[in-house]
Amino acid sequence: MDRPHSDAAGAGRFLGLVFPLLPAIPLLFLITQWGSVAEGNVKSVSFPWVPSLGIEFSFFLDGLNLLFALLISLIGVFVAIYAGAYLRGHPMLRRFFLYLALFMVGMLGLVLAADLITLFIFWELTTISSYLLIGFNHDKASARRCALQALLLTTMGGLCLLAGLILLGYTAGTFDLQEILARGDYVRGHSLYPAILVLILLGAFTKSAQFPFHFWLPNAMAAPTPVSAYLHSATMVKAGIYLMARLHPVLGTTPLWEWTLTIVGAITATLAAILAVRQTDLKLKLAYTTVVALGTITMFFGSDDSVAIAAAITFILVHSFYKASLFMVVGIIDHQTGTRELDRLGGLGKLMPVTWFCAGAAAISMAGFPPFLGFIGKELKYEGALAIATEPTLVAGAAIFANILMVTVAGTLALKPFIGRQRPKSDDIREAHWSLWIGPLVLSTLGLTFGLFTPLIAEGLVQPAVVTLLGEPKIVKLKLWHGVNVPLIMSILTFGLGVCAYLYQRPLRAFLAFLLSFFPTTADRIWDALLEGLKRLADVQTRWLQHGILRRYLRVIFLAATAALLLALIRQDNLSLSVAIPALNVKEWTAMLLVAAGAVMASSVSAPLAAVCALGALGVGVALLYLFFGAPDVAITQLLVETLFLVLIAATLHRLPLSYGRHATRFRRLDALIAIAAGVVVTITILAVIEQPFSSPSSDYFVANSMPEAFGRNIVNVILVDFRALDTFGEVVVVFTAALSAATLVGYTLRGRRR
Amino acid sequence: MNAEALQALTPILTLSGVIILLMLIVAFLRNHRLTLGLTLLGIAVTVWSTLNVSPLLETDPIAVTGLLVVSRESLLFYLLFLLSAAVVSILAFHSFEQGTAIQPEDSGEKRNKGDFHTRPTFQEEFYLLLLISLLGAIVLVSASHFATLFLGLELMGLALYALIAFPAIHANRNSRSKDQALEAGFKYLVLSALATAFLLFGIALIYAQYGQLQFAAINAAAAAGQGTPVLLAIGLVLLLIGIAFKLSLAPFHFWTPDVYQGAPTPATAYVATVSKGAVIAITLKLFSDIGAFEMRAPMQVFAVLAVTSMLAGNLLALQQENIKRLLAYSSIAHIGYLIVAFLVGRQEFGREAVIYYLVAYIVTTLGAFAVVSLTADYARRANTQSSPYRISFYKGMFWRSPWLATSFTMMLLSLAGIPLTIGFIGKFYIFAAGVQAGYWALLSAVILGSAIGLYYYLRIIVMMVQRPGAVVHDDASSGEVSPGEVSPSAKLTHEGVSIAISGQMVLAVLTVALLAFGIFPQILINWIQ
């Protein structure tokens, strides 16, 4: 930055105050629309953009994207406040806010887009701006590597998504999302459906960090904490989730969809839960729990049961609140103490009571204790898991397993840093500024109190979303107390095991480490190995193809040309050749012999001059053939050109830095083969030419008219001096001009030499 | 030839007149600045006459004798090429002023300050050759007869050999630049001659089939018969091989990296944009005029070439450390993408896709080379240690000269096909054309190629965003830095790259065009339609 530090910081303080108002605008707007949308109305606005391609710049608001948009702008407000405080005095705060604003626009545009291509554009906008945000503060090579990794993975996913969306658009006949939603049956019945599904899911899975692309999310924790709180909990990683939810009515309900989502989600949740417990870095721990949540949601979207969908939607809500506030809490701890290593933290509860409260409230939500929203969400999850048609045991098992470990992680986050001996020992540690803790406080409190206003949430947010997602009216009831049933028993089991796991955390971690040591590799390593392999392939290919040796280039070129010609010949159904020994006299055979001898000689001698001479003999042979078959003018030209060529080459050859006889001529089998193949193909082509009865209208014309019109028997002469007299004149002028310039050049050189 | 036809010919006549005038002036008065001014003026007059012709063509294209056809489409290409040539000549001016055009690679040889002024530099001839080549390109895109096609192609090519080998007559004896330029020019000459041989043989075969050289006449004769005649198909395949050379489709691409690297950067920009663009334009016209889109064999050959180009080009670019070579390889891949749309050229949509992608490619490539060229000029002036053609030179550019880096980033994003750039719309067209035609294998190659492409485009962007002050920990496992790389930014000046005003304007115009056509593509689509 070119401005002095203090100046920028001053501007930053002002910006920190004003910037949160930016996401507040859409938030207020959304709240005004809430009532009407919850009743099932859909608002849309559209601008023509590229009409000739059928692309519109259009947006709409319905139950499903209202939920996402509300989350994005609400959490956006608090993250903006938090970021202003967290990065206070940072010399590039303004740039940071610019990126953040870009990202918010991208995210809101993504969820509100009513056109597939509009959606994709905002999708890529979030990718790019998130790269800028993740890479905002990194100086280390490893951090840069992670930023590049996240960028590469998500852009490659984006590429697949674009292909999938275009396929979907052309299959459905429109890019308008609302119309596509109505054509689900047609799309599912289309033969391209699997391709569309796979491509779009690849995009969604990379963005939402699903197995086997889950590794970029923890790696992206190099980002400043406000970024992690916003991007990696509530918004960007939910983009893939949103896409799956959005396209559920179009692509869902087929076995392929259900099994893919269920299995991928289950694997992601289970794997990430194990990895989360293993971590000791607070932020990384949170990152892995985010992956758990994303996996769980994906798993539930694999079904079309309304309870399962409601569970997923509720969980999206709950998760966004508690995860954003937990990230911010970790950020506060990091900010105030300078570390976020679990083992180096303790006893902060007395010093930072508000932070502790936030952490506790969020963790309770995360662990799913009653009577909070987290509990309802979890109950619903278990109920939904049991209702899933494909594989209830698998889903329920994965959900319970993941939740047990979530309880453990939640306990760790809420208790470990805050109780016990004070660590690190320092007198400077004190409660953070209000602007830091206000965000987590409000969000975690909201997460808690929502549990007490379940009808509002159920009817105002979750139900409209479920209804739009499934495309049919459903009643969603969120209740705190269901009576004693299977989900409740599962909940109790979860708590019990979770608490046990918390108490025996160290041995558990050691056990998991031991267990994981049997896995030979991680996805991260595989990715690196893939990249490395690709690079090596590129190296090998470069060495193999681009070696700089002209002779080998020519080899490839002739091979390719021969293959192309061969293909063309094979593709002809009406190709007929008649081969017979021609009746030639002795002089014609001699000329042919001369041609053949010249060719053999040219390819077998080592000295360049000898080869050129051999080629000259070949040329003379060809000229003789022309002569014998009635084209004396062509023969003369050929002879002249051959002679001139030979003289020129001979004159310049000795001045060229050529090495004679350094490599003995050996029989190059490959070259010989290629030459023979090329020769055969060209010969066939020539034979095909002979087959063609050739009649040129112009030669007929000259034959008929040379005598009556120009009174000449020699047609060539007549053409030159009568029919094409003006052309001949032009040619003469050209020759003279060339001679003049040559004379000038020669004169210039001579004068230069004399001087 | 009637008056209307003569008027349709005015752009070509004007440009020819400008060339002769310039040649005469240069013969008497050697002044670099004046030559540039006259070149730009000549281009401007030609643009004006082109715009004047366009009202004539509201209804039908005008055939000028049997040799040329001037249509609205060809006028679009005229404008595109004229503007590209204007950009190239401005780049060339800066290049000559700094001496980078004469000695692209300054490999540490001692260079006296007055070196260029004591010896004749012949820099004025560069513009002359450029205009002649441009004339060839313009004749080429309006050809409707094989004779004009050949004439245009050769006129364009002959001037190019000299442009490419331009440093060869100036640089110090035995210098690396001289060798490289000579090698580049020679390789281009030899392989071009080979390509021309294929092309001519193809034309001869087509002539042998019908006794006609005019596109329309060939089409009429072909429509009268049934099935694809043998000689026409084989002739077209041979023609295609010749064209593949000019377009540097793999495996006929071998000249590309050496020529791109060895030639002065403005000449490289010209080869990459105008020369390739003209060949694509005429191929599109030729194929639709003689109905070659219905013939299986040429189309299959083209499809195979497209796939090999996309994969080979991207893979070759992946590990490239020289920015000019990287752009060379990536151009191979881009022409490969373009061919995918080309295969659908029978339909109106395919034609539109080809032209749009071509415009996108030309604008973006020109921009990228402009950045490379202007950066190299700066490096020469500032006497930096490391070579400005290495990617590592761009490390931390974002912090030193944010505007230049932003503009370069835009070019790279456009090459990678990221939204809101012209390249994205181009890529959209390619996908859409492929989907409409159902070319699944080609589409997967496009996706695979673009995915590889992302890596090396993003790598440069990431490098530019890197902080210059940062300590560079190049641990072996780090993905984006190859081990043998020269340690970068530390030695570089921390000042921004300073560029003359006209250079900045060129960049600004190109960047704005790239964004404008990316955000409001409909404008350009309307022109194309």
Side-chain angles (χ1 to χ4, degrees):
Chain A
M1 296 302 284
D2 44 0
R3 278 166 195 279
H5 186 152
S6 59
D7 192 18
R13 197 166 303 139
F14 175 67
L15 255 182
L17 288 175
V18 176
F19 189 78
L21 297 177
L22 197 68
I25 300 167
L27 181 65
L28 290 177
F29 170 75
L30 289 167
I31 289 173
T32 59
Q33 301 295 316
W34 191 346
S36 121
V37 171
E39 283 163 20
N41 297 324
V42 176
K43 307 234 181 287
S44 56
V45 54
S46 155
F47 310 94
W49 187 22
V50 198
S52 64
L53 296 179
I55 302 175
E56 289 197 331
F57 198 61
S58 59
F59 301 96
F60 74 131
L61 188 64
D62 67 0
L64 182 62
N65 57 21
L66 175 75
L67 174 86
F68 280 88
L70 273 176
L71 276 179
I72 291 161
S73 38
L74 179 69
I75 297 179
V77 171
F78 290 109
V79 164
I81 299 174
Y82 180 80
Y86 189 85
L87 293 172
R88 174 160 298 157
H90 195 287
M92 276 174 300
L93 190 61
R94 283 183 305 173
R95 203 177 275 219
F96 177 83
F97 277 134
L98 174 70
Y99 298 158
L100 196 64
L102 257 183
F103 177 78
M104 282 173 182
V105 170
M107 213 50 222
L108 281 174
L110 195 165
V111 295
L112 295 178
D115 180 281
L116 291 184
I117 301 305
T118 313
L119 187 147
F120 178 74
I121 284 167
F122 284 106
W123 179 283
E124 290 291 84
L125 185 60
T126 62
T127 306
I128 302 275
S129 53
S130 74
Y131 167 71
L132 292 171
L133 285 170
I134 295 174
F136 184 68
N137 219 357
H138 61 240
D139 289 340
K140 279 180 292 184
S142 63
R144 289 203 309 269
R145 164 182 168 270
C146 296
L148 182 65
Q149 183 186 58
L151 183 64
L152 263 180
L153 253 179
T154 44
T155 2
M156 282 179 185
L159 203 61
C160 293
L161 178 69
L162 176 64
L165 290 179
I166 291 178
L167 269 183
L168 177 60
Y170 275 99
T171 310
T174 172
F175 286 109
D176 189 321
L177 197 49
Q178 282 161 292
E179 280 181 46
I180 289 174
L181 290 179
R183 293 183 197 171
D185 286 331
Y186 175 70
V187 172
R188 280 190 295 272
H190 200 275
S191 60
L192 285 177
Y193 170 73
I196 297 174
L197 182 68
V198 167
L199 286 169
I200 289 183
L201 283 186
L202 273 176
F205 284 175
T206 44
K207 194 89 167 176
S208 282
Q210 296 297 305
F211 178 83
F213 310 110
H214 60 280
F215 53 90
W216 72 262
L217 185 57
N219 281 349
M221 287 301 127
T225 305
V227 175
S228 307
Y230 197 44
L231 268 62
H232 303 137
S233 68
T235 54
M236 189 177 85
V237 291
K238 297 266 167 69
I241 300 287
Y242 169 74
L243 190 71
M244 286 188 257
R246 185 82 273 173
L247 295 177
H248 193 282
V250 189
L251 303 175
T253 70
T254 60
L256 185 61
W257 165 279
E258 288 179 354
W259 281 104
T260 314
L261 262 65
T262 313
I263 290 173
V264 169
I267 293 176
T268 311
T270 320
L271 188 70
I274 295 173
L275 293 171
V277 172
R278 261 196 72 203
Q279 279 301 331
T280 54
D281 182 316
L282 287 176
K283 206 170 165 190
L284 282 179
K285 226 176 173 61
L286 278 179
Y288 277 112
T289 60
T290 308
V291 181
V292 176
L294 295 171
T296 316
I297 297 167
T298 307
M299 184 165 79
F300 280 97
F301 276 151
S303 130
D304 55 347
D305 181 82
S306 71
V307 184
I309 298 292
I313 297 283
T314 318
F315 189 49
I316 290 173
L317 202 62
V318 179
H319 173 254
S320 298
F321 281 113
Y322 77 69
K323 190 53 62 68
S325 46
L326 277 178
F327 264 116
M328 290 196 241
V329 163
V330 169
I332 294 175
I333 295 177
D334 195 7
H335 196 257
Q336 302 300 111
T337 65
T339 180
R340 44 175 213 242
E341 248 333 286
L342 198 54
D343 296 336
R344 281 194 235 138
L345 290 167
L348 299 174
K350 275 168 286 172
L351 302 169
M352 306 162 71
V354 186
T355 310
W356 192 16
F357 174 77
C358 299
I364 286 172
S365 210
M366 180 172 171
F369 276 107
F372 304 114
L373 192 57
F375 174 72
I376 300 172
K378 196 173 51 171
E379 291 288 283
L380 207 53
K381 257 199 286 184
Y382 288 151
E383 200 184 330
L386 294 174
I388 281 177
T390 41
E391 194 58 62
T393 349
L394 171 77
V395 175
I400 292 178
F401 181 75
N403 270 327
I404 291 170
L405 296 182
M406 280 312 92
V407 172
T408 316
V409 174
T412 316
L413 286 169
L415 296 177
K416 277 267 155 135
F418 296 102
I419 56 173
R421 248 175 339 109
Q422 191 200 331
R423 273 175 303 179
K425 290 223 183 299
S426 164
D427 298 334
D428 308 338
I429 297 173
R430 53 175 181 271
E431 185 56 89
H433 189 256
W434 68 267
S435 50
L436 275 178
W437 52 250
I438 185 80
L441 185 67
V442 173
L443 289 178
S444 55
T445 320
L446 275 180
L448 286 181
T449 46
F450 274 170
L452 307 174
F453 302 106
T454 42
L456 177 71
I457 300 300
E459 282 157 29
L461 277 178
V462 177
Q463 186 170 328
V466 173
V467 169
T468 26
L469 200 155
L470 288 173
E472 51 194 271
K474 288 276 187 237
I475 305 295
V476 176
K477 289 255 185 291
L478 297 184
K479 279 185 293 190
L480 268 176
W481 179 246
H482 286 266
V484 179
N485 53 8
V486 184
L488 187 71
I489 295 167
M490 285 159 76
S491 270
I492 295 167
L493 188 73
T494 310
F495 282 130
L497 288 173
V499 171
C500 288
Y502 172 72
L503 292 176
Y504 296 100
Q505 209 173 139
R506 266 170 204 285
L508 184 68
R509 233 182 273 155
F511 173 68
L512 285 177
F514 171 72
L515 210 63
L516 283 175
S517 65
F518 287 106
F519 280 97
T521 183
T522 62
D524 200 11
R525 292 241 181 82
I526 294 175
W527 167 257
D528 276 350
L530 272 179
L531 269 189
E532 210 47 53
L534 190 65
K535 282 187 197 164
R536 207 159 300 150
L537 177 68
D539 281 341
V540 167
Q541 193 223 19
T542 311
R543 228 172 301 134
W544 189 69
L545 264 185
Q546 210 69 39
H547 33 60
I549 304 168
L550 196 57
R551 187 166 59 80
R552 287 199 208 155
Y553 287 169
L554 288 175
R555 190 188 284 168
V556 177
I557 286 167
F558 274 107
L559 201 61
T562 309
L565 272 183
L566 203 60
L567 179 82
L569 285 170
I570 289 169
R571 282 289 172 195
Q572 296 308 316
D573 357 294
N574 47 359
L575 179 70
S576 60
L577 302 173
S578 55
V579 183
I581 294 176
L584 300 177
N585 57 28
V586 179
K587 60 179 183 182
E588 285 157 0
W589 277 117
T590 318
M592 293 222 340
L593 205 65
L594 188 60
V595 171
V600 171
M601 174 105 174
S603 54
S604 57
V605 294
S606 63
L609 191 60
V612 171
C613 287
L615 279 180
L618 191 155
V620 170
V622 172
L624 283 176
L625 283 176
Y626 285 142
L627 189 66
F628 298 153
F629 289 96
D633 49 336
V634 185
I636 286 288
T637 318
Q638 170 84 12
L639 214 55
L640 279 177
V641 169
E642 285 297 338
T643 318
L644 196 63
F645 180 72
L646 198 63
V647 169
L648 279 178
I649 290 279
T652 48
L653 206 57
H654 74 278
R655 307 183 67 170
L656 291 177
L658 288 175
S659 52
Y660 288 94
R662 188 170 294 168
H663 26 243
T665 37
R666 56 193 172 78
F667 185 62
R668 294 196 297 263
R669 235 169 279 158
L670 189 62
D671 291 1
L673 271 179
I674 293 171
I676 288 169
V680 167
V681 172
V682 172
T683 308
I684 296 174
T685 312
I686 300 289
L687 285 176
V689 176
I690 296 170
E691 287 296 301
Q692 181 70 23
F694 181 75
S695 69
S696 162
S698 54
S699 61
D700 293 347
Y701 172 84
F702 289 126
V703 168
N705 288 309
S706 73
M707 195 56 201
E709 287 200 5
F711 310 106
R713 275 197 214 331
N714 186 327
I715 297 173
V716 177
N717 282 356
V718 167
I719 292 173
L720 285 179
V721 301
D722 282 297
F723 291 111
R724 293 278 158 82
L726 208 58
D727 294 11
T728 313
F729 177 66
E731 279 165 26
V732 172
V733 170
V734 168
V735 170
F736 266 105
T737 321
L740 262 178
S741 37
T744 319
L745 275 178
V746 171
Y748 181 82
T749 322
L750 285 180
R751 248 179 292 140
R753 202 169 286 165
R754 218 176 296 142
R755 208 181 291 156
Chain B
M1 196 197 286
N2 53 11
E4 205 182 34
L6 196 62
Q7 201 187 340
L9 216 53
T10 43
I12 294 179
L13 295 176
T14 319
L15 193 58
S16 314
V18 167
I19 291 170
I20 293 171
L21 193 71
L22 191 66
M23 190 145 53
L24 284 174
I25 291 175
V26 167
F28 294 105
L29 187 66
R30 280 191 175 270
N31 180 323
H32 192 195
R33 206 169 278 275
L34 177 74
T35 314
L36 173 74
L38 282 175
T39 307
L40 290 179
L41 188 70
I43 289 175
V45 172
T46 318
V47 166
W48 177 75
S49 68
T50 308
L51 292 177
N52 264 354
V53 172
S54 88
L56 281 182
L57 303 166
E58 289 297 348
T59 47
D60 283 320
I62 298 177
V64 185
T65 69
L67 296 174
L68 294 168
V69 170
V70 181
S71 64
R72 292 183 75 83
E73 193 180 299
S74 49
L75 288 192
L76 181 73
F77 287 121
Y78 285 11
L79 288 179
L80 192 62
F81 297 157
L82 284 165
L83 296 178
S84 309
V87 170
V88 169
S89 53
I90 293 175
L91 293 180
F93 179 77
H94 290 293
S95 243
F96 278 111
E97 289 291 296
Q98 299 305 330
T100 34
I102 296 171
Q103 234 170 333
E105 292 272 358
D106 188 10
S107 49
E109 6 174 325
K110 275 276 169 266
R111 197 165 47 85
N112 299 326
K113 195 69 190 160
D115 222 16
F116 297 121
H117 302 290
T118 50
R119 270 191 294 162
T121 51
F122 305 113
Q123 54 208 2
E124 289 78 10
E125 273 83 341
F126 191 92
Y127 302 94
L128 212 50
L129 289 166
L130 185 73
L131 288 180
I132 293 174
S133 182
L134 182 65
L135 181 67
I138 282 180
V139 169
L140 183 60
V141 292
S142 30
S144 67
H145 190 283
F146 275 117
T148 5
L149 183 146
F150 188 69
L151 203 65
L153 201 62
E154 287 306 299
L155 187 57
M156 193 173 78
L158 279 173
L160 267 182
Y161 308 139
L163 282 180
I164 290 168
F166 211 74
I169 47 170
H170 300 106
N172 295 331
R173 222 170 243 283
N174 303 326
S175 79
R176 211 171 122 218
S177 300
K178 179 175 181 159
D179 290 351
Q180 272 191 352
L182 260 184
E183 187 188 345
F186 185 71
K187 268 189 181 154
Y188 192 59
L189 177 70
V190 168
L191 292 178
S192 251
L194 189 62
T196 307
F198 278 115
L199 192 89
L200 274 181
F201 193 29
I203 293 176
L205 287 181
I206 295 173
Y207 182 71
Q209 180 78 51
Y210 292 122
Q212 295 286 358
L213 283 176
Q214 207 189 345
F215 300 165
I218 292 170
N219 190 27
Q226 42 184 308
T228 310
V230 182
L231 293 183
L232 182 58
I234 298 172
L236 275 176
V237 168
L238 282 168
L239 197 76
L240 262 187
I241 293 173
I243 287 167
F245 268 106
K246 298 278 174 187
L247 293 181
S248 64
L249 290 171
F252 303 106
H253 66 278
F254 296 113
W255 57 273
T256 321
D258 295 331
V259 167
Y260 275 41
Q261 190 183 7
T265 315
T268 311
Y270 184 82
V271 175
T273 55
V274 176
S275 124
K276 286 189 181 176
V279 172
I280 286 186
I282 188 58
T283 315
L284 188 66
K285 185 165 148 55
L286 170 72
F287 271 50
S288 58
D289 277 3
I290 66 174
F293 289 115
E294 276 83 15
M295 296 171 202
R296 268 188 309 172
M299 284 299 152
Q300 276 170 347
V301 171
F302 232 177
V304 172
L305 290 179
V307 172
T308 49
S309 305
M310 285 186 266
L311 298 181
N314 277 317
L315 274 177
L316 284 168
L318 193 71
Q319 285 286 73
Q320 202 42 250
E321 290 297 329
N322 182 305
I323 186 85
K324 279 167 91 177
R325 287 182 86 90
L326 185 140
L327 287 173
Y329 291 126
S330 101
S331 84
I332 294 172
H334 277 279
I335 301 291
Y337 303 145
L338 200 150
I339 299 302
V340 176
F342 187 94
L343 295 175
V344 204
R346 179 178 28 185
Q347 298 158 14
E348 191 55 29
F349 185 78
R351 199 188 65 87
E352 201 180 303
V354 170
I355 298 179
Y356 199 100
Y357 199 87
L358 188 60
V359 174
Y361 166 79
I362 287 183
V363 170
T364 315
T365 311
L366 213 51
F369 277 113
V371 172
V372 172
S373 177
L374 293 169
T375 311
D377 296 343
Y378 154 76
R380 173 63 55 91
R381 198 168 56 243
N383 247 327
T384 51
Q385 290 294 308
S386 58
S387 163
Y389 297 112
R390 295 191 71 77
I391 291 176
S392 51
F393 188 84
Y394 290 83
K395 211 167 251 185
M397 177 84 98
F398 199 61
W399 309 96
R400 286 182 282 141
S401 13
W403 289 111
L404 183 66
T406 307
S407 139
F408 197 30
T409 305
M410 290 297 159
M411 310 296 175
L412 291 170
L413 287 180
S414 180
L415 285 172
I418 302 293
L420 300 187
T421 60
I422 194 169
F424 167 70
I425 307 287
K427 189 138 286 173
F428 178 89
Y429 262 118
I430 300 293
F431 274 135
V435 168
Q436 279 192 349
Y439 294 140
W440 306 124
L442 283 168
L443 269 185
S444 1
V446 172
I447 296 180
L448 197 63
S450 312
I452 302 172
L454 276 176
Y455 177 83
Y456 56 85
Y457 295 130
L458 295 181
R459 188 166 75 115
I460 303 178
I461 296 176
V462 168
M463 236 174 213
M464 287 200 291
V465 179
Q466 251 172 58
R467 298 266 215 108
V471 190
V472 184
H473 306 281
D474 281 341
D475 41 330
S477 66
S478 80
E480 82 269 38
V481 193
S482 75
E485 201 176 346
V486 200
S487 160
S489 46
K491 278 177 241 141
L492 286 182
T493 48
H494 282 268
E495 310 153 11
V497 175
S498 62
I499 291 170
I501 299 290
S502 54
Q504 284 177 2
M505 270 169 59
V506 164
L507 283 182
V509 166
L510 288 170
T511 314
V512 167
L514 185 144
L515 287 176
F517 292 140
I519 299 173
F520 306 108
Q522 193 61 44
I523 310 170
L524 186 56
I525 294 174
N526 288 342
W527 287 353
I528 293 171
Q529 284 171 342

